[in-house]
Amino acid sequence: MNETESNLMTKPTIPFDYNALQDTGVLSDQVRNIIEPTLWFTMLFLNVMGVVTNTINIRVFIEQGVKNDSTNIGFISLSICDLLSCAALIPHSLCSIVLYTDGIAKYYTCTAFAITFGYAHIALQNMSTWTTVYISLIRSLCVIFPLKVKLMFTPKITKFVITSIVTFFLLLQLLYSSFTSLVWVFEPEFNESVAYIQEKPASEILLYYEQLITNQILPSVAVIIVAINSALMTQNLIKVKKWRLQNSNDSSKDTDKSLASKDIELIKFINTTAAIFLGCNLIGFVPSLAVMVLPGVSFNGINQNLFYVVFFVRFLFDSVNSSINFFFYIRVSTRYKTAFAASFKMCSNQPSIERQ
């Protein structure tokens, strides 16, 4: 790629002075052109894997039953959000292939159209985050108040909560996306029209407050809730484990050892999944901080290169968070493994196993 092509890679929508933007941005075109394709090729693998694993998850949770099980309703909703979230990022990964096969003009147009899927991804990722928070709350209360939780979280309440989460974040994202539009600009360099995303005058102000709400305030609350729930679950499971060991007798020693081992596995599962959730969500603070602190971090601003790169880094961690749950479920949950085997007819006549 020659210097002229490199300069054209990030040409903003007029009326901005491209040379001025290039001189004052904190991230150069060259750095962006190295980072961006690498991120998207990595995400292509993760997102395809996420579509497959979450399809499996949905099938398995349906096999476990959803009619009277609030937790399974939550897990199915989470898997649907994660599946669609991964699928929404695949078009942008494919644009990186277009760059090397059809040239820069087609890459611009592909990217502009793919950004519309990016809006959907952000909404779906927020839905996934708060569905995870809700599931975390149910599971922690299952440990703390095992006899009361079914009265507190009925399937009807669960469906209402998840519908409210979906509606809220969908409307919020639609509000912001309505302040941007897809425009076609004839480019003499390519002798053809190219699609760009154009921001309306109020979009930067709206972007600031959207980032403040959806990527600062709400994720902070989500992270705190999940961290507290994980700590409470771990603490109570450790107490149960100690009680079992202290009150065991010789005739039940083998059983108690088995239960203790199961408790340890569950504690590891809770802490590992919580750590991944917290880590991936904390990365989401980076783009919003860039938008709120640095000038011109937007589609057409002075720091448009930084805008794209920090959001793509966030999308990478979103992809990780949305695609790997299956591997934790299949490793730790014997109930999940039994339903998985039954769903795909790997074995038959599996015994009923109590939920972990």
Side-chain angles (χ1 to χ4, degrees):
M1 184 181 297
N2 59 41
E3 184 177 353
T4 301
E5 290 175 328
S6 178
N7 288 340
L8 289 172
M9 283 289 294
T10 54
K11 182 174 180 179
T13 306
I14 299 188
F16 295 101
D17 181 350
Y18 179 62
N19 291 324
L21 296 179
Q22 187 181 29
D23 292 339
T24 56
V26 298
L27 193 68
S28 69
D29 292 344
Q30 289 74 17
V31 173
R32 177 186 168 186
N33 293 342
I34 293 171
I35 295 174
E36 189 172 325
T38 304
L39 290 173
W40 283 113
F41 279 124
T42 305
M43 278 187 275
L44 180 60
F45 168 77
L46 288 171
N47 289 317
V48 170
M49 182 177 72
V51 169
V52 174
T53 56
N54 284 293
T55 300
I56 294 172
N57 288 340
I58 293 168
R59 179 68 186 88
V60 171
F61 291 129
I62 290 174
E63 176 69 25
Q64 289 181 355
V66 297
K67 186 175 180 180
N68 297 309
D69 194 325
S70 293
T71 305
N72 269 5
I73 293 172
F75 275 121
I76 289 174
S77 302
L78 175 63
S79 298
I80 291 172
C81 288
D82 285 344
L83 187 157
L84 295 176
S85 177
C86 288
L89 290 180
I90 291 176
H92 213 138
S93 292
L94 298 178
C95 288
S96 295
I97 298 174
V98 171
L99 171 63
Y100 295 106
T101 57
D102 295 325
I104 297 172
K106 294 293 189 295
Y107 173 76
Y108 282 155
T109 300
C110 182
T111 299
F113 279 97
I115 285 171
T116 61
F117 290 94
Y119 294 143
H121 166 79
I122 292 172
L124 287 161
Q125 195 62 34
N126 284 317
M127 296 173 198
S128 175
T129 295
W130 281 91
T131 302
T132 301
V133 171
Y134 183 71
I135 294 170
S136 171
L137 186 61
I138 294 176
R139 291 175 71 88
S140 64
L141 292 177
C142 279
V143 174
I144 300 170
F145 305 110
L147 301 179
K148 298 181 180 180
V149 70
K150 286 189 176 181
L151 298 175
M152 299 166 64
F153 296 99
T154 64
K156 185 176 181 179
I157 291 174
T158 297
K159 290 175 184 177
F160 173 76
V161 170
I162 291 174
T163 301
S164 299
I165 290 170
V166 170
T167 303
F168 174 76
F169 285 108
L170 183 61
L171 291 176
L172 195 64
Q173 196 58 44
L174 284 173
L175 176 63
Y176 171 68
S177 61
S178 67
F179 280 80
T180 63
S181 59
L182 195 68
V183 297
W184 290 87
V185 178
F186 180 78
E187 297 287 5
E189 298 92 338
F190 310 127
N191 196 30
E192 62 179 288
S193 293
V194 178
Y196 294 104
I197 294 292
Q198 185 177 54
E199 297 174 305
K200 296 178 182 178
S203 62
E204 285 198 27
I205 297 173
L206 188 60
L207 177 62
Y208 176 90
Y209 286 105
E210 189 220 16
Q211 292 299 312
L212 178 64
I213 295 170
T214 62
N215 285 322
Q216 291 290 330
I217 297 174
L218 292 180
S220 297
V221 175
V223 164
I224 291 169
I225 293 174
V226 171
I228 291 173
N229 286 339
S230 299
L232 290 173
M233 280 190 284
T234 300
Q235 184 180 23
N236 278 272
L237 286 169
I238 290 172
K239 287 181 180 179
V240 170
K241 174 175 170 286
K242 288 181 178 178
W243 181 87
R244 284 171 176 163
L245 293 174
Q246 289 172 357
N247 292 275
S248 62
N249 52 47
D250 292 338
S251 61
S252 63
K253 190 173 292 185
D254 291 339
T255 301
D256 286 325
K257 286 181 179 178
S258 175
L259 288 171
S261 176
K262 187 176 179 181
D263 289 336
I264 292 170
E265 281 191 349
L266 186 54
I267 291 168
K268 288 180 179 178
F269 171 73
I270 291 169
N271 290 333
T272 303
T273 52
I276 292 171
F277 173 84
L278 296 175
C280 291
N281 276 271
L282 288 173
I283 293 295
F285 287 100
V286 176
S288 59
L289 286 173
V291 168
M292 295 168 64
V293 174
L294 298 176
V297 180
S298 63
F299 281 117
N300 306 133
I302 293 171
N303 284 305
Q304 60 163 293
N305 285 347
L306 183 63
F307 174 82
Y308 282 101
V309 169
V310 293
F311 270 94
F312 294 165
V313 170
R314 174 204 164 164
F315 289 167
L316 174 64
F317 282 88
D318 288 348
S319 301
V320 172
N321 192 38
S322 297
S323 61
I324 63 175
N325 284 334
F326 165 80
F327 301 102
F328 292 105
Y329 298 155
I330 199 72
R331 174 170 172 75
V332 175
S333 175
T334 50
R335 187 170 186 264
Y336 183 94
K337 284 186 281 190
T338 300
F340 176 82
S343 298
F344 296 95
K345 304 189 184 301
M346 293 171 59
C347 59
S348 60
N349 300 322
Q350 291 288 333
S352 177
I353 298 177
E354 182 180 356
R355 176 184 302 279
Q356 291 187 3

